[in-house]
Amino acid sequence: MTADAVAPQAHPAPSLAGRAAPEIGIGLCVYNGEPYLSGSLASILAQDGDFDLVIADNCSTDATEEICREAARKDPRVRYIRRDRNLGVIANHNQIVHETRGEFFSFASSDDEYREDRLTLLAAALRAVPGASIAFSGAEEIDADGELIKLWRNTAPTDHPDPVRRLHSKLVHYDETLQFYGLMRRSLLERALPLQPIVACDRVLIAQMALLGPMVAVDDPLLRHRNHAKSVSRANHARAFRKREKPEENSRFFLPNVAEGAALARAIRHTPLSPGDRLRAYAALSPWLRRNAVPMARNVAHVAVGLVRGRAE
């Protein structure tokens, strides 16, 4: 996700109401995406398949608006929305899901590039497994200059028929987040909780989608995922992220790991599961808990120290 809180008025390009609903809706949230945006848009619009692209500009101050308006002028599949105010990255992503149409949905990034047959192959993979929640692909991780850093392919059994096994597998491979940019079945995405205002919002959503249905992997590297110094995954610190997304909250009560664990527990509670599977799902949090027990203890200790200092002042 790219750095950029609810429903403001927007300034959209001409409506697509006259067109039949496409099979796929693509939502691209952007804030000051000028450096790589033109290349990303070109690779999206070169895709095969029946899709519309909605771009939600979070009040960019660079040439993003001009680039997007030009794309919308040239291609009727593109709709450009410029927010009246910066919503923050989370609210912008949550809102764009409801501003797109289609049986399937995909988040796009202004930094990344896509192989021309990506949507066709991912849509075929979703159709082949009617209950699947996400189809995603292998990826080439590239640097700021487009040079290959490494090749990524899924190694987790995310297509297992047991939802709790899928959840456990995803939590073991918790830092693999490229499923977020896969093709999602909209009916299941709309049953999931919206993205939560935490740095690991994408990981929590992927975990809930794993509970809702199998995640199907296409081995081919259909995505070129750019890893550069200004990307959110590298530039964001949890405290800075929270200050931007929820500026009204008291910084003395900052428990990022606790909040992440609570978001995972909410995702389990929100998902329709049998009582036995729900208990198993809570138990399946064990890989995450082992990794985060010490950070959570530090969160609590930090808040306790802050409270003591507050009373002393």
Side-chain angles (χ1 to χ4, degrees):
M1 298 164 63
T2 13
D4 315 326
V6 159
Q9 298 298 311
H11 305 295
S15 171
L16 298 174
R19 296 186 63 210
E23 179 183 39
I24 298 167
I26 303 174
L28 193 160
C29 294
V30 60
Y31 173 75
N32 286 357
E34 179 183 356
Y36 306 110
L37 180 57
S38 293
S40 180
L41 288 176
S43 71
I44 293 171
L45 296 176
Q47 295 284 303
D48 300 326
D50 178 24
F51 69 91
D52 284 340
L53 168 65
V54 176
I55 306 169
D57 179 359
N58 227 351
C59 297
S60 295
T61 57
D62 62 1
T64 290
E65 180 173 2
E66 290 77 10
I67 294 169
C68 295
R69 290 197 182 279
E70 180 68 7
R73 185 183 68 79
K74 289 182 174 179
D75 195 316
R77 297 172 298 176
V78 180
R79 182 158 56 102
Y80 172 67
I81 300 170
R82 181 175 174 87
R83 306 298 188 197
D84 276 353
R85 60 189 176 88
N86 189 312
L87 306 184
V89 62
I90 303 299
N92 201 24
H93 277 76
N94 283 333
Q95 191 161 319
I96 203 170
V97 173
H98 305 290
E99 293 166 332
T100 59
R101 307 176 298 165
E103 179 184 4
F104 304 143
F105 171 80
S106 180
F107 287 112
S109 167
S110 62
D111 301 336
D112 294 345
E113 298 171 1
Y114 309 91
R115 210 170 83 179
E116 66 276 2
D117 56 351
R118 173 178 177 269
L119 288 180
T120 299
L121 293 174
L122 294 184
L126 269 184
R127 284 194 297 268
V129 184
S133 60
I134 302 177
F136 62 99
S137 74
E140 294 178 344
E141 185 175 343
I142 57 176
D143 64 15
D145 300 318
E147 297 297 321
L148 181 66
I149 300 172
K150 65 180 180 181
L151 186 64
W152 178 83
R153 283 190 171 91
N154 179 61
T155 57
T158 54
D159 58 349
H160 197 281
D162 180 355
V164 179
R165 290 278 296 275
R166 294 193 302 265
L167 173 65
H168 183 269
S169 175
K170 191 68 213 74
L171 294 174
V172 169
H173 299 84
Y174 192 58
D175 293 332
E176 295 182 358
T177 60
L178 293 184
Q179 295 93 346
F180 184 80
Y181 292 108
L183 192 62
M184 304 182 188
R185 195 177 301 277
R186 186 183 294 274
S187 60
L188 294 182
L189 176 62
E190 289 176 346
R191 289 168 63 182
L193 290 169
L195 291 167
Q196 303 296 295
I198 55 175
V199 171
C201 59
D202 50 353
R203 293 165 169 81
V204 173
L205 178 63
I206 295 166
Q208 186 169 15
M209 294 297 283
L211 279 173
L212 287 167
M215 299 195 294
V216 184
V218 175
D219 280 342
D220 290 352
L222 308 179
L223 167 67
R224 283 169 57 81
H225 178 64
R226 197 180 304 274
N227 188 340
H228 61 98
K230 293 186 178 180
S231 63
V232 166
S233 58
R234 290 181 58 183
N236 251 343
H237 181 274
R239 187 176 293 275
F241 183 89
R242 177 176 174 277
K243 185 176 181 180
R244 187 179 69 237
E245 298 296 320
K246 302 187 76 173
E248 72 282 359
E249 289 199 353
N250 191 326
S251 61
R252 284 183 176 172
F253 300 96
F254 179 57
L255 298 97
N257 301 86
V258 173
E260 186 178 328
L264 286 167
R266 276 195 303 273
I268 293 171
R269 187 169 66 248
H270 180 80
T271 304
L273 296 167
S274 70
D277 280 348
R278 196 178 309 282
L279 287 174
R280 291 174 58 228
Y282 286 128
L285 291 173
S286 56
W288 185 92
L289 288 168
R290 283 195 296 271
R291 210 164 38 241
N292 285 272
V294 172
M296 284 195 294
R298 287 173 179 160
N299 289 172
V300 173
H302 183 270
V303 168
V305 169
L307 289 171
V308 169
R309 287 177 176 171
R311 291 195 188 105
E313 289 169 357

